[in-house]
């Protein structure tokens, strides 16, 4: 891919827009699905709980969440109007249990201690003030709640040609240090490895990623 194409890809991975954004949203859902499902499994969602997903994309995985237990509620939040509209369109069957919220990416527009479970996959690279944002997540999470943060490790991310444009990659130790600066107190780290199709072509690549299970 040419430099300009890589820039456009990077921009749409951060904030999908228009027809190209819809296409990239579908591609992200496909390439990230195993990370997303592992993150959902790690949350251990139980009956009657309310889950927040930060950066839901097209939310093609919502059915997997709703099948886990009875009386679940889901809130998805995203900065992309394109993904907000796509997620609502693709998940009409869950409109009584799920809501999608468009926001500016800094403050979470919810009351303190709203959610039992919170998760986010492949969004941390785009957070402008990560410690402040972690503290926002802390604020809206219930005291006994669980927050799962999943990200591709720096060594893997730096091999991808588009991550030089507005991505901030993290190693496990860098992420650990970041979490320690926030209000969160406890953290468990799990590493995973998988073979995926590249976002820039048809070749397969080995992805190494980390799931952090974080508690107050």
């Amino acid at each position: 891919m040419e430099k300009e194409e890589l820039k456009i890809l990077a921009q749409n991975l951060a904030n999908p827009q228009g027809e190209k954004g819809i296409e990239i949203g579908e591609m992200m859902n496909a390439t990230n699905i195993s990370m997303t499902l592992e993150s959902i499994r790690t949350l251990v969602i139980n009956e009657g709980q309310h889950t927040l997903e930060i950066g839901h994309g097209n939310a093609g995985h919502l059915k997997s969440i709703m099948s886990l237990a009875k009386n679940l509620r889901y809130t998805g939040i995203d900065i992309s109007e394109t993904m907000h509209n796509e997620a609502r369109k693709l998940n009409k069957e869950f409109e009584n249990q799920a809501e999608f919220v468009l926001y500016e990416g800094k403050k979470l527009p919810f009351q303190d201690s709203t959610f039992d479970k919170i998760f986010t996959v492949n969004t941390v690279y785009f957070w402008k003030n990560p410690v402040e944002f972690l503290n926002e997540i802390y604020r809206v999470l219930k005291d006994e709640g669980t927050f799962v943060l999943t990200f591709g490790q720096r060594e893997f991310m730096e091999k991808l040609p588009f991550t030089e444009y507005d991505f901030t990659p993290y190693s496990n130790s860098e992420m650990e240090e970041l979490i320690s600066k926030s209000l969160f107190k406890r953290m468990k780290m799990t590493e995973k490895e998988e073979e995926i199709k590249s976002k820039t072509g048809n070749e397969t690549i080995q992805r190494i990623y980390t799931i952090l299970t974080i508690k107050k």
Side-chain angles (χ1 to χ4, degrees):
M1 287 179 100
E2 297 295 325
K3 188 174 179 179
E4 204 51 46
E5 288 179 299
L6 291 171
K7 269 188 182 175
I8 291 166
L9 174 60
Q11 285 164 0
N12 275 284
L13 289 170
N15 186 357
Q17 297 292 324
E19 287 300 317
K20 185 70 176 172
I22 291 171
E23 182 188 315
I24 284 175
E26 289 171 357
M27 182 260 291
M28 280 196 292
N29 188 66
T31 56
N32 292 339
I33 193 65
S34 56
M35 290 177 83
T36 302
L37 294 178
E38 281 290 341
S39 303
I40 292 164
R41 188 183 62 76
T42 304
L43 281 172
V44 190
I45 297 169
N46 295 312
E47 184 174 345
Q49 291 191 326
H50 191 179
T51 298
L52 171 66
E53 179 177 11
I54 298 166
H56 54 69
N58 69 12
H61 51 275
L62 183 54
K63 190 174 284 191
S64 299
I65 296 175
M66 291 308 190
S67 67
L68 292 174
K70 293 178 181 176
N71 303 318
L72 295 182
R73 285 184 300 149
Y74 167 95
T75 299
I77 192 164
D78 210 295
I79 62 170
S80 164
E81 189 172 355
T82 299
M83 289 298 96
H84 172 76
N85 293 333
E86 273 298 285
R88 291 177 68 190
K89 189 172 83 178
L90 292 174
N91 292 288
K92 279 195 166 73
E93 64 186 294
F94 301 115
E95 60 188 4
N96 293 328
Q97 290 173 274
E99 65 167 344
F100 295 96
V101 177
L102 196 59
Y103 82 130
E104 93 301 330
K106 294 174 186 171
K107 296 284 184 189
L108 295 172
F110 309 110
Q111 298 292 319
D112 296 359
S113 304
T114 298
F115 300 99
D116 301 284
K117 304 287 164 77
I118 299 176
F119 77 106
T120 190
V121 178
N122 284 335
T123 69
V124 69
Y125 331 113
F126 310 115
W127 297 359
K128 300 300 181 198
N129 298 293
V131 175
E132 284 177 30
F133 196 65
L134 283 166
N135 289 339
E136 270 292 281
I137 294 167
Y138 181 96
R139 180 182 65 77
V140 302
L141 183 67
K142 291 180 181 178
D143 285 345
E144 299 303 313
T146 303
F147 167 44
V148 166
L149 191 162
T150 302
F151 65 99
Q153 291 179 14
R154 175 191 276 278
E155 191 180 348
F156 163 75
M157 295 297 290
E158 286 180 339
K159 290 176 184 170
L160 304 176
F162 50 83
T163 55
E164 66 179 283
Y165 305 106
D166 298 322
F167 277 69
T168 303
Y170 295 91
S171 66
N172 284 349
S173 58
E174 287 167 334
M175 187 60 72
E176 210 167 351
E177 188 181 346
L178 195 66
I179 304 293
S180 73
K181 290 176 181 172
S182 76
L183 295 168
F184 284 106
K185 298 289 187 291
R186 293 177 289 154
M187 181 178 68
K188 187 180 90 173
M189 190 176 283
T190 308
E191 281 193 10
K192 300 276 182 182
E193 191 168 341
E194 63 177 348
E195 199 168 81
I196 59 159
K197 188 177 167 185
S198 165
K199 288 182 174 69
T200 54
N202 292 316
E203 73 271 24
T204 56
I205 49 177
Q206 287 296 118
R207 172 160 63 193
I208 303 165
Y209 68 93
T210 298
I211 298 177
L212 297 180
T213 308
I214 305 167
K215 302 268 193 177
K216 287 191 171 183

